[in-house]
Every structure is written in C-alpha cells, then in structure tokens.
Amino acid sequence: MDTTTLTIRHARPEEYEALGALTAQAYLDNGFLVLGAEDPYLAVLRDVPARAAAAEVLVAATADGTILGGVTYVPSGGPMADIARESEAEIRMLAVSPRARGRGVGETLVRECVRRAEEAGRTALVLSTQTSMHAAHRLYERLGFVRTPERDWRPIPAVPLLAYALAL
C-alpha cells in the first residue's frame, strides 16, 4: 500500500459508526479486551461521537473514502487525556483495519499526531499501551518514543498499561 495516497483528516460524523466498529474489532481480533466481546471497554471504543466531542478523531482514508484506520489525538487535557500533563498531547485508541496492517497506516496516523503536537507547541506526545501490543511498541520505539515506566498505570486491576513519551 502506498501511504502517500492516504489522506489523514478528521473523521466525519457519517463515518463514526464504521470507525467505532473498526476500532472495536481491532481490539477484539487481537485479544486486547480482558472480557472479549463482553468487555465494557468495547462501548468506549465504539463511541466515536463522544471522542470527537472531547478530542480530535483522525482517520486514514483512501482516495475513494475507505477508512483504513483511526486514532484519537488529545491536543491538551480534557476528559480524553489519561496521562498527559500540562503542555503535553496524547494519543488514544490507535486502530488499523486488518487488511491494512503492516502497511504503514498506523505509522502515518502517529506521525500526523506528532506533527499536530509540534505545531501546537506541545512539549511531548504521550500514550498508554497494553503489555501485549508488541507491534505498537515496535512502531512507537521506531518513531522515537521512549518508555516512561513512572507513568505506567492500571485502569482496572487486570489491565496494566505501559506509558511512552516522545519529547518534542
């Protein structure tokens, strides 16, 4: 896949349902939900309207409008920020369609978040990731993110999250 033909833009309201389904399915397919299809976090992953009201929901779309992935970019605090400190931006819920994985879609989305954070004068871009998200860890580290174990946390006891930061 030629990622230069991708457009990274804000998700449109008519795309929210499809993006929510794509995000939820990515987490389910990869076993990232403790309770599988019964996990209450599925509702959060599907609720793109709530994310879009509190942050920037970005999509990677092809020329024909097919959504291949999405990410929630939190430019500065608010209800979508989990670990961002003052002057930092945060990435949440990065997901890529199974047919587009390994083709640079996730990297393109993360690079756009980096660009936005730099343009906004943020001091760092931070994120949390599950211990089992090895492909994501490799992506983040390749892009210069470093582990910040002092920020690791658990939203629930069964889900330890690793923190990463990219100094800007």
Side-chain angles (χ1 to χ4, degrees):
M1 174 177 300
D2 178 9
T3 56
T4 62
T5 62
L6 285 177
T7 299
I8 307 299
R9 59 171 171 73
H10 286 101
R12 299 175 181 142
E14 64 270 18
E15 298 167 330
Y16 289 175
E17 186 175 341
L19 179 59
L22 181 154
T23 306
Q25 200 60 52
Y27 277 65
L28 277 171
D29 288 351
N30 290 291
F32 297 144
L33 298 169
V34 174
L35 301 175
E38 302 302 315
D39 199 301
Y41 194 57
L42 267 178
V44 176
L45 294 170
R46 287 186 176 116
D47 194 356
V48 177
R51 293 201 307 266
E56 296 181 32
V57 178
L58 305 175
V59 295
T62 62
D64 69 0
T66 302
I67 303 300
L68 297 179
V71 66
T72 300
Y73 169 70
V74 185
S76 60
M80 289 300 300
D82 282 332
I83 65 168
R85 297 176 179 153
E86 190 173 333
S87 83
E88 295 177 337
E90 188 165 345
I91 296 174
R92 303 264 327 265
M93 301 175 198
L94 175 66
V96 175
S97 166
R99 70 179 218 183
R101 287 192 192 126
R103 297 181 175 178
V105 174
E107 180 173 340
T108 302
L109 285 162
V110 173
R111 286 184 184 280
E112 177 61 16
C113 292
V114 171
R115 187 193 69 74
R116 288 170 184 258
E118 287 175 334
E119 189 174 90
R122 302 285 104 199
T123 59
L125 182 61
V126 298
L127 60 92
S128 301
T129 181
Q130 291 185 25
T131 57
S132 59
M133 294 179 167
H134 304 295
H137 302 168
R138 287 189 299 273
L139 167 65
Y140 302 138
E141 290 167 5
R142 188 171 68 250
L143 294 178
F145 286 80
V146 296
R147 282 276 295 115
T148 53
E150 68 278 6
R151 291 176 150 187
D152 291 355
W153 64 292
R154 292 175 181 260
I156 60 173
V159 181
L161 295 178
L162 306 177
Y164 281 80
L166 176 67
L168 302 174

